[in-house]
Structures are given as structure tokens and as C-alpha cells.
Amino acid sequence: MPQFPNTLESINRMARTAPQELVRLGEARFEQALDEVVARVTEDRGREIVMLAGPSGSGKTTAARKLAGRFRALGMQSDVLSLDDFYLDRDAIPCGANGKPDYESVHALDLPLLQAALSDLLAGRKAEIPAFDFTAGHRSAATRTLQLGEQDAVIVEGLHALNPLVTAFLPHENVLKLYLRVARRICKADGTVLLRRRELRLIRRLLRDRRDRASSAAHTLSLWDNVLLGEQNYLLPFRAGADLDLDSTFLYEPCVFAADVLDFLAEADLPDEARETAGHLSDALRCFVHIEPACVPESSLLREFLGRDGLRD
């Protein structure tokens, strides 16, 4: 499928004249990428663990669920494991160089428990999967039991899914490593970059944090540099080990997100250090033609950030 131009002018032209087609093209491209993953897994024989890593705002949660749904439609048993559920209790998190708990480190996970669970799944044994209570800051007493048949697959998603400390003990022939990212930036016709890849992810994160965590724009912006540092330290060094690279860019997304993000930033009581970033995002988003959130399919990855009914009243 040919790529749609990643220029503001091309996006706006189609947003004005054929918004539903613009949406359809973006959705079809991502669905095709998922189909390629499914084909790769079903070509193999035996139980499969799909390791799905990606930076914040790349859409790992929805991508994992969509893959599991595709596998189940083929008659396979499939489920999603989040590495977040394998966190150590908050008071056991190791400290970083600054003396504060390093929640981004792979050592914040209970690696022996994780490795045992994945080994059991590949061996066809029952595995007890924990659940982490982020409100309480410790592992929940509740667990769930998973077991894979000979042709089943499980998707493991999280920041550290490509880290050798998580994957090195697994047989290579039974593991498929995926790296999910926002791979395209948006430029003006003269080549000027309007929104960088990490800025598209930040826009997504602002919306998701507002809806799911009741976070202010100031709070999300204050965390962003640390999020990027965690990715630099704990994700990007292992990106080259991925078997497949998936692009979760939807070039129409600023057209859908702009109105809500502009309102959110305008209402925010921002500290001085966040104003430059917020101002740049606002200036860029004002350039896009609006597309109604109702045009976004309910099954779209963008619903992870937009919500089922959109954000506006």
C-alpha cells in the first residue's frame, strides 16, 4: 500500500474533501501491518510468545489486544500479558543514580517470576499471572491462570519486552519480537517539521492521562522528559533486536485530537518550563482541519487515547 504524503497540505486537503477516506487509509495501513504479524506467527509451528515493545504513546495496549483478537479468530487461544503486572512492590523498587526509586528500570520488575511464567507457558504448563494494584502500590492477591496449547500464542507488552533480561532464556524459534512506534513526523510542504514523532506521542499521552488518570496537562508535561530518558536508557538500546518494526502513525490524528488538546492546554495552569512546549504544540495543532471524532472507528488504535466516545461534550 503506497504511503500517503506526511505533509500538512496533503492532510488538510483530504480532511476537507474526503475525511472518511483519509481515516480509512490510515486504518487500513495499520491493519495490514497487524495482518503481517499474524501471518508470521501462523507460519511457525508450536507455541509462540510475541514480545511487543514500544515507547510511551505508541499504542502497545491496543495493538496487543488487536493481535490477540486476530489469533482467537483463527481458533487459537491467545491472551495479553502486561509487564506492568510484574512490578515489584513499591517499597522494593531499586533506586537510580539520583537516589530515588527508578520505576523505568527493568529491575523494577520481578524478573524471576516473569521468567518462570513465560517458561511455563512455552512448556505447555499452567502459569499463574499476577496483577499489580497501582493505587495501593503492590501486587494484588488475585492472579489468573494461563496455559497454551501446542499452536497458541500469548502477547507480552511493555517497555522492556525486548530486553535480553526478559527474553534471553526463551527459545528463539518460539519468540517473535515486535517494535511498535510512531515512525512518521508531519511536515509542511517546504520541508519544515511541524510535529515531530515524539510530539505526536506526547499529544496522545496528554489525552490518555487526562481521561484515564485524571492528570493535568502540567503533570503530564512535567513527566515527559523523564519518560524520554527512560526510553533512551531502557528501550532504544534493544530496538535492533526486534524481528518486525510496526508503524502506528495515523496522519489524520492531529485533525481529530486538535480541538481537545487545544482546550486542555489553554485551560492548564502551566509552570514556565512547560509553556514553550505547550505553545509549540498549540501553534502546530491550530494548522489542522478538524475531523469529528465520530469518524474514528471504534476499533481504532487511536481510541486508546481518544476514548470510546471522544472527549468533547
Side-chain angles (χ1 to χ4, degrees):
M1 181 181 292
Q3 285 198 341
F4 187 82
N6 63 328
T7 62
L8 172 69
E9 291 79 2
S10 296
I11 294 167
N12 277 348
R13 188 180 307 113
M14 201 159 186
R16 290 189 190 96
T17 61
Q20 292 181 330
E21 179 63 9
L22 179 61
V23 170
R24 188 197 67 78
L25 288 172
E27 297 296 327
R29 173 169 293 280
F30 187 66
E31 295 298 320
Q32 183 182 58
L34 296 182
D35 288 341
E36 292 172 3
V37 174
V38 173
R40 178 76 172 265
V41 170
T42 54
E43 285 173 3
D44 298 332
R45 300 184 62 84
R47 301 176 185 91
E48 191 92 4
I49 292 184
V50 178
M51 306 299 296
L52 175 61
S56 178
S58 59
K60 295 184 294 294
T61 300
T62 299
R65 290 174 180 168
K66 289 171 82 70
L67 284 172
R70 276 170 157 75
F71 293 139
R72 287 193 290 266
L74 294 173
M76 303 165 62
Q77 177 181 320
S78 186
D79 211 325
V80 176
L81 303 188
S82 172
L83 291 182
D84 288 354
D85 281 327
F86 288 86
Y87 265 120
L88 296 167
D89 291 350
R90 189 175 294 158
D91 58 5
I93 299 292
C95 291
N98 60 3
K100 298 180 180 179
D102 187 356
Y103 296 102
E104 302 296 319
S105 169
V106 68
H107 296 288
L109 302 178
D110 188 335
L111 289 172
L113 180 65
L114 173 60
Q115 291 166 355
L118 296 181
S119 293
D120 285 342
L121 288 172
L122 275 184
R125 298 187 295 265
K126 292 182 179 179
E128 293 297 319
I129 308 302
F132 196 85
D133 185 336
F134 283 90
T135 301
H138 59 71
R139 191 174 298 154
S140 169
T143 63
R144 58 191 176 113
T145 303
L146 289 182
Q147 186 173 16
L148 296 182
E150 291 185 1
Q151 299 298 323
D152 293 336
V154 66
I155 299 98
V156 180
E157 65 91 3
L159 177 68
H160 301 294
L162 300 182
N163 192 303
L165 290 176
V166 175
T167 62
F169 71 99
L170 298 171
H172 177 75
E173 64 271 16
N174 296 105
V175 177
L176 181 67
K177 299 178 183 180
L178 307 179
Y179 184 73
L180 180 70
R181 65 190 179 109
V182 173
R184 304 183 74 191
R185 58 191 182 181
I186 298 178
C187 304
K188 295 182 179 179
D190 63 5
T192 303
V193 177
L194 187 64
L195 285 170
R196 295 183 296 172
R197 293 179 285 264
R198 66 177 56 181
E199 291 166 344
L200 289 168
R201 292 194 290 114
L202 175 56
I203 289 167
R204 293 178 174 187
R205 174 94 181 226
L206 283 163
L207 291 176
R208 188 186 63 195
D209 285 0
R210 174 191 179 188
R211 191 191 72 249
D212 292 349
R213 303 176 185 178
S215 293
S216 67
H219 181 67
T220 297
L221 290 171
S222 72
L223 295 176
W224 189 240
D225 283 346
N226 283 335
V227 169
L228 296 178
L229 180 62
E231 294 168 359
Q232 185 70 36
N233 291 337
Y234 302 120
L235 174 65
L236 295 182
F238 310 114
R239 173 184 163 187
D243 299 302
L244 293 174
D245 192 288
L246 304 181
D247 180 9
S248 69
T249 313
F250 295 79
L251 292 177
Y252 75 87
E253 62 187 88
C255 300
V256 176
F257 291 159
D260 284 302
V261 176
L262 285 169
D263 287 348
F264 191 30
L265 292 175
E267 296 165 358
D269 182 14
L270 298 174
D272 291 342
E273 59 269 22
R275 291 185 181 279
E276 181 177 355
T277 298
H280 168 70
L281 293 180
S282 297
D283 289 344
L285 289 171
R286 290 189 190 99
C287 298
F288 290 88
V289 171
H290 178 67
I291 293 178
E292 287 294 329
C295 292
V296 181
E298 288 297 307
S299 61
S300 175
L301 178 143
L302 295 184
R303 288 288 174 183
E304 182 175 327
F305 313 100
L306 186 65
R308 301 264 70 88
D309 301 315
L311 292 173
R312 299 181 71 78
D313 294 332

